[in-house]
Amino acid sequence: MLGSFCHAVRQILNLIVSKFCDRIILMKFFFLIMALSLLFSGNAHSITTSLICKLEKSNNTFSIFLDHQNKNATWDDMVVSADFSATSVTFIVAQVGSIDNVHLKMHYSLNRINLEVVKTVTLTRTINTDKIDEVISLERGVCEIGKKIERKF
């Protein structure tokens, strides 16, 4: 009789311990799910910055849209790849191929701190193995933040 009583108590204790362990495992599982969801949470949409820029020599304004997630810039309805750093964004908007080893390139550089924009047109010549870069035109200007853009699909 004492053996069956001990056996019954042991089964009850095993049941309590297993339920307790199941709850701990379940709580750990839920905690892991919450921690992973917080760790990998973020915006599901692309962050886009709209800039309205004006160069000093011209009175015309133009828009530049920066897509931070995809590392793109949109200028004059043309999407080009951009190099993003902590202080600047640079992108090439036009590049003419080799004509007698001469390359023509127009690119923009945006200062992310003071929103200064610099438009540069560069002529690159290759003589023998030497590359010679010559700045043909350099214009400075200022940008301001445009309206917030939300892209919904």
Side-chain angles (χ1 to χ4, degrees), residues 36-126:
L36 288 176
S37 66
L38 289 174
L39 180 66
F40 293 113
S41 68
N43 293 337
H45 63 279
S46 178
I47 300 169
T48 305
T49 303
S50 170
L51 298 173
I52 299 170
C53 303
K54 182 178 178 181
L55 297 173
E56 291 174 354
K57 294 181 181 177
S58 65
N59 289 328
N60 296 337
T61 60
F62 57 95
S63 297
I64 296 175
F65 301 103
L66 300 175
D67 185 350
H68 302 270
Q69 184 178 12
N70 296 318
K71 307 286 188 215
N72 291 331
T74 303
W75 172 84
D76 197 27
D77 291 332
M78 182 172 51
V79 178
V80 294
S81 63
D83 294 322
F84 286 76
S85 72
T87 58
S88 68
V89 177
T90 58
F91 54 94
I92 298 172
V93 295
Q95 191 166 2
V96 178
S98 177
I99 302 171
D100 294 331
N101 291 327
V102 176
H103 301 274
L104 189 65
K105 176 174 70 171
M106 181 172 76
H107 74 277
Y108 284 89
S109 179
L110 297 166
N111 186 322
R112 295 177 85 173
I113 298 169
N114 62 5
L115 294 180
E116 180 187 37
V117 61
V118 178
K119 174 186 166 186
T120 309
V121 178
T122 308
L123 184 71
T124 304
R125 289 182 278 164
T126 306

Side-chain angles (χ1 to χ4, degrees), residues 21-22 50 102 140:
C21 289
D22 286 345
S50 170
V102 176
R140 295 184 183 278

Side-chain angles (χ1 to χ4, degrees), residues 3-19:
S4 63
F5 177 74
C6 289
H7 181 68
V9 170
R10 189 175 303 143
Q11 283 184 339
I12 292 172
L13 287 176
N14 283 340
L15 182 65
I16 292 172
V17 168
S18 68
K19 291 291 183 185

Side-chain angles (χ1 to χ4, degrees), residues 121-150:
V121 178
T122 308
L123 184 71
T124 304
R125 289 182 278 164
T126 306
I127 300 173
N128 296 328
T129 57
D130 297 329
K131 267 186 155 180
I132 302 169
D133 287 332
E134 182 181 339
V135 175
I136 297 173
S137 170
L138 187 123
E139 292 183 64
R140 295 184 183 278
V142 181
C143 296
E144 60 184 32
I145 302 290
K147 65 179 181 177
K148 185 177 179 181
I149 299 173
E150 286 189 30

